[in-house]
Amino acid sequence: MTLGLVAALALAGCVEETAMPGASDGRSLFMENCAVCHGADAKGNGQMARAMSVAPKNLTLIKVRHGDVFPRAKVMSIIDGYARSDRSASWMPEFGALLEGDLVPYDSGDGKPTPTPRKLVALAEYLESIQVER
């Protein structure tokens, strides 16, 4: 064996394999960050919904509103604030805490895994899991 191969194998043994976050991981994040406006069932009927000038969206219909395709990149951009560069549309807060922590490779639909905050991926996975079918 060459020295490079031995070093690579040794390094691989030291790296802890991290499981990708799933919908169950995202559910608790949703309840902590989103349910107060969007409701526990994500249908836009949270405790704060009546007090808001712009009603929260029914998040179970994201896929239906986008031609039966869940727009992963768009959803993540709305959550992390990237798609909301115009802060005059402050109908939804930015969730900076979701951007903290470790990164995981996530394919948001372009076929290229991109390092993405674990919590953000978990929330997107949860939202995708609650979509209704036509």
Side-chain angles (χ1 to χ4, degrees):
M1 287 174 124
T2 65
L3 185 56
L5 179 58
V6 172
L9 290 173
L11 183 60
C14 295
V15 176
E16 183 180 322
E17 187 170 321
T18 307
M20 289 295 290
S24 60
D25 302 311
R27 186 179 191 291
S28 61
L29 289 168
F30 179 85
M31 293 307 209
E32 292 170 22
N33 296 284
C34 313
V36 70
C37 295
H38 291 281
D41 61 1
K43 293 185 177 179
N45 57 0
Q47 296 171 343
M48 293 296 297
R50 285 190 216 124
M52 299 172 72
S53 60
V54 175
K57 298 243 183 199
N58 179 337
L59 299 178
T60 67
L61 299 175
I62 296 169
K63 188 174 167 182
V64 169
R65 289 192 298 263
H66 291 86
D68 292 327
V69 175
F70 187 78
R72 290 177 168 189
K74 181 177 182 178
V75 167
M76 294 178 84
S77 290
I78 291 171
I79 296 167
D80 71 16
Y82 185 77
R84 293 177 281 130
S85 59
D86 177 9
R87 293 306 297 155
S88 65
S90 60
W91 44 267
M92 190 172 124
E94 291 182 24
F95 295 101
L98 292 175
L99 303 178
E100 296 172 357
D102 61 330
L103 303 175
V104 295
Y106 182 71
D107 177 1
S108 63
D110 62 2
K112 298 176 185 173
T114 304
T116 306
R118 172 178 292 284
K119 292 176 184 176
L120 185 58
V121 171
L123 186 52
E125 291 293 323
Y126 174 68
L127 291 174
E128 188 167 7
S129 78
I130 62 171
Q131 297 306 294
V132 298
E133 298 293 327
R134 281 192 213 221

